[in-house]
Amino acid sequence: MSLEILNADIETCIEPFYKKRLSLIKSLVGNKVLDALLYMPTGIIETLEISTLSKELVNKNIIATVKVEFIEYAFFSKTRPITVTCSVGNTQVELLFFNYKPCYLKGTFDVGKIVKIVGKLSITHNGRYQIVNPKKATFKTKQGISNVYPLRTGITQYVVTSVINLALTKLCNTNITEWLPQEILDKYNFYSFCGSLLAIHKPQISNFSLLNNVYRQRLCFDEIFAEQLAIQISKAKRIKPIHASEIQKPSRELVKQLITTLPFKLTSEQLKAYNEITLDMSKTTPMHRLLQGDVGSGKTIIAILAMLHAIELGYQCAILAPTEILARQHLKLIQKYIDGTGVNISIITSNEKGRARKQILECVSSGITKILVGTHAIFNDKLAFKNLGLVVVDEQHRFGVGQRLALIEKGENPHILSMTATPIPRTTIMSMYGDIDTSSITQKPIGRKNIVTKAIGMDRIATLIEAIRRIIDKGQKVYWICPLIEDSEKLDYTCVIERFDYLFKHFNNEVDMLHGKMSTEEKRDVFDKFISGKTHVLVSTTVIEVGIDVSDATVIIIENAEKFGLAQLHQLRGRVGRSELQSYCMLLYDKSCSHVAKQRIKIMTQTNDGFIIAEEDLKLRGGGEVYGTKQSGHKQYKTFNITSAMEQELINEYIITSNRIAKLAVQNGSVELYENCLKIFKPEFHENVKLSF
Ligand code: ADP
Ligand code: MG
């Protein structure tokens, strides 16, 4: 059965008299018939036609025939309305028109006229009935229950509803075979896809709760299921890299050499993770593994070992970092470790330009470069590898799914190792990648001390000066973090400059600063001076948040700590405590901050454990929010929007169930049964990927 009709232009659902608004409608609802069907209401409204007013009708939308008694014009003002006093039978009602010019009302609301109006009835504290900005009822105004859809200027509820209604007629004229297995329909009491859409767009009962009903849940399941199907199909299509079978066991010379020269002993968990990775690489399907480990747990070295292993298998590797500073840090570190092995490494960021860039591209495409470190610049380039076999994605949550895929496509089904310091719930991982394998590092390297964390009021800032002096005298380093002021790069900059000036008075050239207005070269310069010990105090915004590793930095001072989220505070704190030296984190906060902010600061002073912090963060944020935030890496869905912990639980359940069915479908070769579901919920995927294997 073909669903072509759903891909037709939305124009086919627009009544002739709304045609002029085609482009507005498209910008609001979407381009296709399908988009209209999946345009979800955000509320519901019940309208009653009445002949007498009563208290029970307060807060309801009513249609009433009124007689205009008198009009009181205020000067046209934003605050004072025009008041039209009317009667409904023997009861008076005031119609308040805010932001109306008198001429708009003339002719309709003249004294003595009888008008049919529609609007929400309210009551004042002294018992007068009022309706604010009522509309004149038209032939289209009917009593009943109707949806409230998100709107934009120029598009009313009537327009949206009429488009959706036409789309529904088209849908119901096609005969869609059920794609969900009976088992699922029974388990969750789901109705058919068409039935559910009809119920959503033509609601029947007034207490119909929007997000908590089986109709909406069915669509939500469909959308998650389509996603899981797409993930499983892509996975099955990733066949074994050709070269792996040709190359026998690697010699492991490079790896052995590196391990013996390391200045430390790998922990047992690091070794376990490394072994899991190499085992994956010997299998017939490409690896996709997620390496989870708290900040400072030593993930980078595992990535380096994995890359050397891949090089011995004959591959090139790429390691992707979210910021240029981090990419350069990786480059330096890897260079240090592979020194003398003859492995060729290179970097690509937006700052490699002209001839240098051309040369890099050549070395990558000819296969001379074995390890390429890069930022986002890796994607938007004509960069081609000869034989890309392993992609490492550091701080994976900083990259979108699309970007990850783009890099994977540069190789022939390369192995992927994603690394994250933010603990991600299993179901979230599933919705992003399907059921991928994970390795976790829970221990810190041996000898690490807990970071001593103290909270102090902003008023005691001066006491820190002496402490910083002592740290500098010991040859250690200090980060001073100023808050990032949202939407204002200028203010961030001012914060940093002010703090720099203040500290400069005490420490002269020992202090340096880093902020968003600097060029990448300047930033790099500042950072190099800090690492090499030319400077000892670095005032910065949160640019240093991710992954920076300066082992003799032992103090981090976070100014206005109350403005940061828990996860971010933990990430920032992780910049110190990277050696056996005792480290400190000072949280400077404004004592008049909110209770929740104080709770966050308290948790930070109580624990160093990233997993506990993530849990507490969830509690403080009220559960549901995790999904909504960008930080969690979770994307938005079309048919639902998680707002409560209960909904989240339901979604988790759907993810697990649909993952199981999707896997089965791929195993049994029955994915074609679900083609319509993919067509509707994953149209781009359906267009680009052949379902047959
Ligand atoms: P993250 O997991 O946050 O990326 P890094 O890989 O940057 O952490 O490691 C943090 C620091 O710990 C680095 O300086 C690294 O050299 C060091 N390190 C890694 N593994 C060990 C270990 N087993 N023993 C001691 N130090 C280690
Ligand atoms: Mg790291």
Side-chain angles (χ1 to χ4, degrees), residues 466-481:
E466 236 173 89
I468 295 177
R469 169 62 47 210
R470 283 198 300 273
I471 298 293
I472 297 179
D473 289 346
K474 279 197 271 184
Q476 298 171 12
K477 292 162 191 165
V478 178
Y479 292 110
W480 189 301
I481 310 298

Side-chain angles (χ1 to χ4, degrees), residues 47-53 57 61-69 84-95 108-110 112-119 121 131 134-138 141 143:
T47 309
L48 289 171
E49 180 143 18
I50 53 105
S51 49
T52 49
L53 292 175
L57 294 171
N61 215 39
I62 58 163
I63 306 173
T65 306
V66 301
K67 184 168 179 221
V68 180
E69 304 273 339
V84 180
T85 307
C86 304
S87 57
V88 177
N90 297 325
T91 323
Q92 273 199 339
V93 58
E94 283 173 355
L95 311 183
T108 311
F109 291 95
D110 294 340
K113 278 217 165 172
I114 300 208
V115 199
K116 195 168 177 184
I117 55 151
V118 55
L121 187 69
I131 298 178
K135 297 253 157 29
K136 188 170 179 254
T138 67
T141 319
Q143 77 164 354

Side-chain angles (χ1 to χ4, degrees), residues 296 299-300 326 329-330 394-395 419 546-548 575 578:
K299 297 183 291 292
T300 319
L326 196 57
Q329 177 183 291
H330 280 334
D394 196 11
E395 310 291 347
M419 306 204 288
V546 174
I548 290 300
R575 296 312 110 216
R578 301 193 146 242

